[in-house]
Amino acid sequence: MLHKIAIAGTIVLLGLTGMARAEGDAAAGKIVFNKCAICHSPLQGVNKIGPSQFGIIGRHSAAIPNFAYSEAMKATNWDWTPEQLDKYLTEPRVVVPGTKMIFPGLKEEADRANVIAYLDTLK
Ligand code: HEC
């Protein structure tokens, strides 16, 4: 009996550590966002060279009405889920050929997970 409880406890712990890793660290992500901040504001309704990142998680692609998206971005048709952001931020110009987001991408998986965790706080 005790043995079974110990095994169950270990599985729960492993599960929690896995979740923490997948979700990233928002504080570290805020620092990664410095790379985005020349073009993107975290504030609602503030567009710079790129559209506001406020509420980006779960928002439809190319959905800010007063931002002049590229034809390439307008042609995409997805919601910015954490998974979709992870793909896009790895290689923006490969995932959306012709995008006017001139950014080489975040090659480190941890940087992407952390910045996505930070983006999730912008709501
Ligand atoms: C040099 C400027 C620049 C940098 C740096 C940059 N972006 Fe962008 N981003 C843009 C532009 C411009 C667009 C619009 C793309 C288009 O219309 O093709 C965009 C679009 C996006 C979109 C799609 C928004 C929507 O409403 O569909 C996301 C998400 C995004 N950027 C996230 C990021 C993140 C996160 C970073 C940093 C890791 C980053 N960007 C770095 C300029 C930039």
Side-chain angles (χ1 to χ4, degrees), residues 32-33 35-40 49-53 56 59-64 67-70 72-73 80 85 88-89 96 98-103 106 115 119:
V32 178
F33 190 75
K35 294 185 179 174
C36 325
I38 23 161
C39 299
H40 290 289
I49 295 168
S52 165
Q53 293 295 289
I56 188 71
R59 195 164 83 202
H60 197 266
S61 54
I64 291 198
F67 182 80
Y69 291 98
S70 64
M73 189 59 82
W80 288 116
L85 279 165
Y88 177 64
L89 294 177
V96 183
T99 180
K100 61 179 192 179
M101 173 157 146
I102 307 303
F103 180 72
L106 296 171
V115 87
L119 293 175

